[in-house]
């Protein structure tokens, strides 16, 4: 009997644990159809950014106010209504979301990327109205103010989550980075603020320097396979300590990576770099290999596997903390030359 691969994430029923995370691979309806045909269980659309929403709102406001009260006709509908001006990026995003929902039968999750509480968070309601099955809030915050304490930075996260949560009724996942003084505490705080799930981890892109022009450059580097190790550790620690769903992202390149994520307690495993490198069809290869591994070991379901090697269930829980660190340093031998 084949292992039951179904799982749930954010209350959504998934045929298997593999999801396409927010990336160019989910940026067109054609690529989304290919992913679904290959077996992907859910998709997260590319993000719409706080800056895009606020910029378009300000542009529309300037157009609206231009010429106001200058002519008598302006008082009686001479100028179009505020909502009649086309907000290219935001309307295009909602259109892509609507098209994706019509084209796919798997859950479609929208993505908002921002750092601060504000009026732009009302856009979350438009996303819900457009039919999103859930919303992923991608918090990409780089603290640069030396006078802001860690508590103040964390409060910005919580205020933003509460603000978005107040706008929507659909499930809300929060994608965060690992840079907190106490990640387990912060995970609980985010849960209390309204998160239904946590996505570990956001990967912060680093600027490079062009030595010829002495300018900062932005280069996109796909996640290396080793990037999965950090979220593997923290999901293994958090599993059992928070009540929300957990998704692992970064460095998922093959079936083995995905299975490790499930073993430490992930409810779903998200991919981007592997899809960009290998194409949508690679999903079916991964699913076949995962199914074979589970069947060979007589697992009845993914649920039976999930979390069996988390810190609360692993035969050697100290491997998640200092013991593994000490062993690695004391047993290392340099390669022969």
């Amino acid at each position: 009997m084949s292992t039951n691969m179904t799982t749930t994430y954010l209350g959504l029923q998934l045929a298997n644990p593999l999801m396409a995370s927010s990336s160019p691979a989910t940026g067109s309806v054609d690529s989304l159809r290919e992913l679904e045909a290959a077996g992907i269980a859910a998709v997260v659309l590319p993000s719409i950014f706080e800056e895009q929403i606020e910029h378009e709102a300000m542009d529309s406001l300037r157009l609206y106010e231009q010429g106001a009260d200058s002519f008598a006709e302006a008082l009686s509908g001479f100028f179009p209504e505020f909502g009649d001006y086309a907000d290219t990026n935001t309307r295009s995003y909602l259109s892509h979301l609507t098209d994706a929902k019509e084209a796919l039968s798997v859950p479609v999750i929208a993505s908002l990327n921002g750092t601060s509480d504000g009026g732009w968070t009302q856009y979350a309601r438009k996303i819900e109205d457009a039919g999103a099955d859930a919303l992923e809030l991608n918090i990409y915050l780089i603290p640069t103010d030396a006078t802001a304490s860690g508590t103040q930075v964390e409060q910005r996260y919580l205020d933003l989550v509460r603000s978005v949560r107040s706008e929507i009724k659909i499930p809300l996942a929060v994608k965060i980075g690992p840079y907190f003084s106490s990640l387990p505490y912060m995970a609980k705080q985010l849960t209390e603020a309204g998160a239904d799930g946590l996505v570990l981890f956001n990967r912060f892109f680093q600027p490079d320097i062009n030595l010829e022009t002495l300018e900062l450059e932005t280069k996109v580097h796909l996640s290396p396979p080793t990037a999965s190790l950090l979220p593997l550790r923290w999901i293994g620690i958090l599993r059992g300590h928070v009540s929300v769903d957990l998704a692992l992202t970064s460095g998922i390149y093959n079936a083995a990576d995905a299975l490790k994520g499930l073993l430490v307690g992930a409810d779903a495993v998200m991919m981007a770099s592997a899809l960009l490198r290998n194409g949508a069809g690679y999903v079916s290869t991964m699913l076949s290999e995962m199914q074979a591994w589970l069947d060979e070991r007589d697992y009845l379901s993914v649920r039976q596997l999930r979390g069996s090697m988390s810190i609360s269930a692993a035969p050697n829980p100290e491997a998640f903390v200092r013991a593994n660190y000490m062993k690695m340093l004391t047993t290392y031998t340099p390669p022969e030359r």
Side-chain angles (χ1 to χ4, degrees), residues 93-244:
Y93 190 85
L94 294 176
S95 177
H96 179 50
L97 170 57
T98 301
D99 291 344
K101 280 295 299 175
E102 291 177 353
L104 305 180
S105 60
V106 299
V108 176
I109 300 173
S111 176
L112 266 179
N113 189 310
T115 64
S116 61
D117 185 13
W120 71 275
T121 59
Q122 297 173 10
Y123 190 76
R125 193 181 311 156
K126 294 184 178 181
I127 286 175
E128 180 176 48
D129 292 341
D133 294 292
L135 175 63
E136 181 177 284
L137 177 60
N138 187 336
I139 304 179
Y140 192 98
L141 174 58
I142 307 293
T144 58
D145 183 357
T147 65
S149 68
T151 300
Q152 290 173 312
V153 172
E154 291 176 358
Q155 191 61 48
R156 285 182 62 180
Y157 277 77
L158 300 177
D159 290 343
L160 179 53
V161 173
R162 289 191 183 99
S163 180
V164 173
R165 176 76 280 172
S166 70
E167 297 289 342
I168 59 174
K169 295 182 175 62
I170 56 176
L172 174 64
V174 181
K175 189 174 186 178
I176 59 173
Y179 306 116
F180 297 100
S181 57
S182 174
L183 185 60
Y185 175 81
M186 192 60 184
K188 285 192 171 185
Q189 292 295 300
L190 290 167
T191 301
E192 293 176 6
D196 300 297
L198 298 176
V199 183
L200 280 62
F201 285 116
N202 199 341
R203 191 164 66 93
F204 295 97
F205 292 99
Q206 313 300 337
D208 200 355
I209 297 175
N210 186 315
L211 292 177
E212 296 298 325
T213 63
L214 294 184
E215 294 178 338
L216 291 177
E217 291 184 339
T218 301
K219 295 182 179 180
V220 177
H221 300 282
L222 297 182
S223 299
T226 54
S228 66
L229 297 178
L230 186 62
L232 273 176
R233 162 182 272 184
W234 281 109
I235 287 180
I237 293 173
L238 292 178
R239 182 80 279 165
H241 293 288
V242 293
S243 58
V244 296

Side-chain angles (χ1 to χ4, degrees), residues 229-271:
L229 297 178
L230 186 62
L232 273 176
R233 162 182 272 184
W234 281 109
I235 287 180
I237 293 173
L238 292 178
R239 182 80 279 165
H241 293 288
V242 293
S243 58
V244 296
D245 290 340
L246 299 171
L248 189 154
T249 188
S250 291
I252 303 299
Y253 275 94
N254 52 47
D257 296 331
L259 288 164
K260 291 173 186 178
L262 298 173
L263 281 165
V264 295
D267 296 281
V269 178
M270 297 184 176
M271 301 185 298

